[in-house]
Amino acid sequence: VKEHKFGSLIFFQGDVLETAQLTNRLQEMAEIPLLIGADFEWGPAMRIRRSMRFPEAMALGATRDTSLASRMGRAVAEESRAIGICQDFAPVADVNINPDNPVINIRSFGEDPGLVAEMASSFAEGLQSGGVLATAKHFPGHGDTQTDSHLELPVIGASRGRLDSVELVPFRRLIGRGIPAIMIAHLEVPSIQENEMLPATLSRRIVTGLLKEEPGFRGLV
């Protein structure tokens, strides 16, 4: 931060007090305020010890109550800001249509694209109202995989028509409602990428074509 002028950091573990102290110290070192983020999908307890734990997304989705999603987003934002985290890598906007999915599963709001779209949008708006940058993930959709993308490269074999009617529905709703940031999924989508043979994270067809040009997303990728 001091010598190489890094502008952004991600936290993966820690304790409440030490995290707050560290973020304050790092911000004092930075010439420009740091963008500090973390995966707080179900609250800071997902990464930070002795912090608030909220229900996972699937439990929240089971309520079908978007007002609860918004209130939870706002509460997560308040907890995040209290320890110096200003970007949450949430909500998960994946539609969990594969019961054998080892990596998304209960991190998704459910198997219905419309429900996921509404719950994710409400959660994101709650985060934003609390002053935390929301980040929808994992574009273009990680719900129909049987492989953990932290270990191997999953392949989404769905047609473009299926993607339009399932996976892309929540992301388009979020983009329409002003989501400021979207995280790309580390997987391969042959129906979009054709013979590109790259993960979506490195694909111009996915990042530029499918995300930026088609729906007009102008936020942080």
Side-chain angles (χ1 to χ4, degrees), residues 152-172:
E152 299 178 63
L153 185 68
V155 176
I156 302 292
S159 67
R160 175 59 198 265
R162 214 291 296 283
L163 291 170
D164 284 333
S165 63
V166 178
E167 280 88 350
L168 294 173
V169 171
F171 291 102
R172 287 175 175 162

Side-chain angles (χ1 to χ4, degrees), residues 37-183:
D39 293 290
F40 289 170
E41 296 169 17
W42 34 269
M46 185 171 174
R47 291 287 183 259
I48 307 299
R49 294 184 301 277
R50 295 194 302 140
S51 56
M52 182 67 73
R53 181 190 177 108
F54 293 85
E56 282 86 347
M58 192 172 284
L60 188 60
T63 70
R64 305 296 198 267
D65 189 339
T66 55
S67 68
L68 283 180
S70 178
R71 288 167 58 193
M72 177 172 154
R74 178 66 186 245
V76 170
E78 291 175 1
E79 294 269 328
S80 302
R81 290 295 299 268
I83 55 175
I85 304 298
C86 45
Q87 180 172 13
D88 186 359
F89 299 113
V92 171
D94 302 315
V95 184
N96 194 58
I97 58 173
N98 188 333
D100 294 323
N101 196 319
V103 64
I104 301 303
N105 206 287
I106 59 173
R107 297 167 64 196
S108 166
F109 289 105
E111 76 285 354
D112 177 74
L115 173 68
V116 173
E118 285 304 308
M119 296 298 283
S121 295
S122 297
F123 182 88
E125 288 164 4
L127 278 176
Q128 299 274 126
S129 71
V132 168
L133 199 67
T135 310
K137 64 186 186 185
H138 309 81
F139 187 88
H142 208 320
D144 188 15
T145 60
Q146 290 179 251
T147 304
D148 186 341
S149 53
H150 299 98
L151 306 174
E152 299 178 63
L153 185 68
V155 176
I156 302 292
S159 67
R160 175 59 198 265
R162 214 291 296 283
L163 291 170
D164 284 333
S165 63
V166 178
E167 280 88 350
L168 294 173
V169 171
F171 291 102
R172 287 175 175 162
R173 185 81 52 85
L174 284 153
I175 290 169
R177 288 169 69 166
I179 191 77
I182 290 179
M183 182 188 293

